[in-house]
Amino acid sequence: MSKDKPNAPKLETLAIHAGRAVDGSSGAVAPSPVLSTTFARAGDGSYPQGHIYTRSGNPTRAALEQCLAALEQGAAATAFPSGSAASMAVFQALAPGDHVLAPDDMYHGTRTQLRDLLQRWGLLHSIVDMSDLDAVRAALRPQTRLIWVETPSNPLLKLSDIAALAQLAHGAGARCVVDNTFATPVLQQPLSLGADLVMHSTTKYLGGHSDLLGGALIAREEDEFFARVRDFQTKAGAVPAPFDCWLLQRSIATLPYRVRAQAANAQRVAEFLADQARVAVVHYPGLPGHPAHALAARQMRGGGAMLSFQVRGGRDEALAVSAAVKLFTRATSLGGVESLIEHRASVEGPYSTTPQDLLRVSVGLEHADDLIGDLRQALG
Ligand SMILES: *Cc1c(COP(=O)(O)O)cnc(C)c1O
């Protein structure tokens, strides 16, 4: 996995061992969460173990952060109580008057932060088609300090060229941040392509079981910007609970195997859907007909486990298909072991640009035959 270090441990090994050791005091093989909010000083007033108070740092969170940094080949990582808290910390490390370029297809919550929360504080942004490098170049301003990339994007599965965008950002004196939630480090490692920061909603694949909320930022370098992010985070109190950190690291151990199996299922589901008369178009980077299939082959290892498709006849027909599934659950979110289907425009609200005939699918770990069987009867 590590292209530059052929002898470095591979992702599967890191997912299990990075930030994890047998407990020296008890011999416990499985780690326990350190729930304490406060840590004892020695007689001389020092903190022999380095921890003071859990908002500023906690051993269970530190172990998770070590693991996250290793998975993304970063210099450092910091964990958040949600993906939204992670993206907010990046934006709040910028200054009023700074300008952010954001993609025209992206997680609606991140766009809402830029539009509804940060504009009032003087952070400027514009929306651009990130799959069009000329459009990105034209949208750069002297005040542009950040290019926010989401690839594959939510919910249209558009791809953006991370290496080219990082280069454009650096040429303009800006940073390139990649929301890597959909691809995960198993399928895509943005830092090795030149990105400065990776963001995750760990609520999704890293958590993997739809039972915890979390976020993360991983930095290529521990630079002054990352120090500002951390400073904002700990002072604002946007830190995850130790128990959630423990739960997350427990899930990460199986991440490579879950993601690969889910992506293999998604490839089969996408191929099935592409053949159906009632389906107008399938958005999945693993299909040869995807507009960025060649970029996917270069930048990703497989098409991922998320896809969306548009149903002929419009909104009502799409809702009828989602009403007819039995094995898929109609629910928002993604990345869990169970397959979910969602009429995306309904949850995105009045600003949504998502086609009304679109259903988004998070493909889980059930057998692909069963998933395809369910979609066949729902489309039938
Ligand atoms: C869910 C999600 C987020 C937001 O994360 P939360 O953990 O829900 O706050 C950001 N980006 C993407 C791509 C997501 O899917």
Side-chain angles (χ1 to χ4, degrees):
M1 189 69 47
S2 298
K3 287 183 206 114
D4 43 351
K5 293 183 228 145
N7 297 321
K10 305 240 186 315
L11 195 78
E12 294 80 353
T13 309
L14 293 170
I16 294 165
H17 290 285
R20 192 181 142 155
V22 170
D23 182 63
S25 58
S26 68
V29 171
S32 300
V34 177
L35 301 177
S36 187
T37 54
T38 188
F39 299 85
R41 286 181 192 246
D44 64 359
S46 66
Y47 290 97
Q49 268 83 30
H51 293 287
I52 302 169
Y53 180 62
T54 280
R55 178 159 49 72
S56 39
N58 169 282
T60 304
R61 189 162 96 229
L64 168 67
E65 289 168 346
Q66 207 181 322
C67 180
L68 290 166
L71 293 183
E72 288 285 7
Q73 298 186 44
T78 182
F80 288 83
S82 70
S84 301
S87 53
M88 240 356 232
V90 173
F91 297 138
Q92 300 212 256
L94 296 169
D98 285 353
H99 173 250
V100 176
L101 271 187
D104 61 353
D105 189 58
M106 74 190 295
Y107 176 65
H108 78 114
T110 315
R111 191 186 309 187
T112 302
Q113 290 181 340
L114 287 167
R115 189 185 56 227
D116 295 351
L117 302 179
L118 293 150
Q119 223 158 232
R120 288 202 300 133
W121 296 94
L123 188 71
L124 311 171
H125 74 275
S126 40
I127 301 296
V128 63
D129 180 356
M130 290 273 167
S131 62
D132 178 349
L133 292 173
D134 290 330
V136 175
R137 212 173 280 117
L140 286 167
R141 298 182 194 170
Q143 302 82 3
T144 304
R145 292 289 165 271
L146 196 96
I147 299 185
W148 185 274
V149 181
E150 186 180 306
T151 182
S153 67
N154 182 1
L156 287 174
L157 283 297
K158 285 171 73 168
L159 260 58
S160 311
D161 187 330
I162 296 170
L165 289 165
Q167 220 169 17
L168 273 181
H170 297 156
R175 286 183 169 75
C176 175
V177 182
V178 178
D179 182 338
N180 204 28
T181 300
F182 270 30
T184 84
V186 182
L187 304 179
Q188 174 173 284
Q189 287 172 317
L191 300 182
S192 68
L193 297 167
D196 301 285
L197 272 180
V198 163
M199 174 259 170
H200 278 284
S201 167
T202 56
T203 311
K204 314 296 167 49
Y205 290 100
L206 275 68
H209 299 76
S210 307
D211 55 8
L212 74 90
L213 206 62
L217 293 174
I218 302 100
R220 187 156 47 82
E221 287 170 39
E222 279 240 58
D223 59 4
E224 171 264 339
F225 186 80
F226 197 60
R228 229 175 321 143
V229 168
R230 279 191 194 278
D231 191 48
F232 179 86
Q233 174 185 24
T234 48
K235 285 183 178 148
V239 299
F243 189 80
D244 287 355
C245 294
W246 174 81
L247 203 52
L248 180 54
Q249 198 167 355
R250 189 183 194 275
S251 291
I252 286 173
T254 56
L255 176 76
Y257 295 94
R258 280 188 283 110
V259 168
R260 270 188 225 116
Q262 285 177 251
N265 274 355
Q267 181 75 39
R268 284 201 52 203
V269 168
E271 284 166 8
F272 164 78
L273 286 170
D275 256 2
Q276 301 308 300
R278 283 183 72 192
V279 174
V281 56
V282 181
H283 304 285
Y284 182 67
L287 289 178
H290 187 279
H293 183 65
L295 176 59
R298 209 161 68 234
Q299 176 170 283
M300 300 176 69
R301 297 174 202 87
M306 291 299 297
L307 61 92
S308 58
F309 64 102
Q310 292 176 245
V311 181
R312 285 190 207 284
R315 175 187 170 91
D316 290 346
E317 290 295 310
L319 286 170
V321 171
S322 95
V325 295
K326 297 193 171 83
L327 182 56
F328 283 82
T329 303
R330 283 174 296 279
T332 196
S333 201
L334 56 117
V337 294
E338 65 290 304
S339 292
L340 304 178
I341 192 163
E342 176 179 44
H343 183 253
R344 194 64 194 157
S346 303
V347 296
E348 289 184 342
Y351 292 104
S352 175
T353 53
T354 297
Q356 290 290 334
D357 59 359
L358 180 135
L359 296 174
R360 190 186 76 178
V361 173
S362 170
V363 180
L365 275 176
E366 302 93 341
H367 199 288
D369 291 349
D370 297 330
L371 295 173
I372 289 168
D374 190 31
L375 289 168
R376 182 179 280 118
Q377 69 76 27
L379 286 162

